[in-house]
Each structure stands twice: as structure tokens, then as C-alpha cells.
Amino acid sequence: MAQAKTYAGGCQCGRVRYEVATDPQQAIACNCSNCAKHGLWLTFATPDQFKLLAGEDALVDYQFNRHVIHHLFCPTCGVESFARGKTPDGGDMIAVNVRCLDGVDIATLAPKPFDGRSL
Ligand SMILES: [Zn+2]
């Protein structure tokens, strides 16, 4: 994560806003049923690298499959700008939708395929 820097991000309408330290070049493109349909490209951060600035009270929590990940989307614009989940060893982690980071040109990213569908 040598390239990690702090980005501001959030949903489309601005109700959900956050700051996160991450490296968009490390993004993965997951093929699970949720990520594939949303077109999610994700990077991961620890809770101390992520600060939710606005929208905690508004977030809608969607869970499916094993109910390990809280997919959090804005009820106004419908964008899932981040999710809360667990690392394999049980720690808290944040999955950030790199498409929602301000100033990131997603055309410059080449996310690694991730086979979430098979998990
Ligand atoms: Zn919104």
C-alpha cells in the first residue's frame, strides 16, 4: 500500500460522505452477484483508515448470502459507496467503492478480477 493516500468520497447525491486512506490501483473487480450488478470496484481499508463524515443515520443495510458483509447504500440516490465486513481473521474491514472517490479517474485503473461468486 505504498501508494495509499487520503481521498474524499461518497454517494452520488452527497448524503453519504467519507474520507479514506487507500490505493485505488489495488482495486479488485469482484464477480459476485452484488458486485457484478453494481459494477463495484473495491479497495479495502481498516476502520482507522476510514472516517464516515455524513450519512450514518441514512444508510440502508443490505445483506445477502452468508450475511457477513453489510452493503450500505444511500436511500436517496441508491449508490453503494462502501460496505462494512470482516477480514478472514475476524477483524473489521471497510470495502470502498473506488468509483465513489473524488478525483479518481477510473479509466486509469485496472482492477484485478476476484472470484467472489465461487465463495
Ligand atoms: Zn446519495
Side-chain angles (χ1 to χ4, degrees):
M1 284 273 183
Q3 302 299 312
K5 18 178 258 183
T6 299
Y7 293 89
C11 68
Q12 190 270 338
C13 73
R15 197 164 169 190
V16 178
R17 294 293 298 167
Y18 55 72
E19 281 180 356
V20 62
T22 194
D23 177 5
Q25 296 292 342
Q26 301 296 319
I28 62 161
C30 176
N31 65 358
C32 84
S33 55
N34 185 69
C35 291
K37 293 201 176 195
H38 282 288
L40 294 180
W41 289 358
L42 300 171
T43 58
F44 300 94
T46 56
D48 62 301
Q49 294 171 311
F50 180 88
K51 189 159 91 174
L52 187 62
L53 304 174
E56 179 72 56
D57 55 331
L59 290 168
V60 177
D61 183 355
Y62 172 62
Q63 295 184 274
F64 69 103
N65 195 7
R66 292 180 296 148
H67 292 239
V68 180
I69 302 172
H70 297 264
H71 299 274
L72 302 167
F73 64 90
C74 172
T76 302
C77 68
V79 170
E80 180 178 337
S81 57
F82 74 102
R84 293 187 176 116
K86 295 284 184 191
T87 59
D89 61 7
D92 291 326
M93 69 90 180
I94 308 288
V96 174
N97 180 354
V98 296
R99 294 175 184 271
C100 294
L101 300 178
D102 297 350
V104 172
D105 179 1
I106 62 160
T108 66
L109 305 180
K112 279 191 282 297
F114 178 79
D115 188 15
R117 186 173 292 262
S118 299
L119 293 180

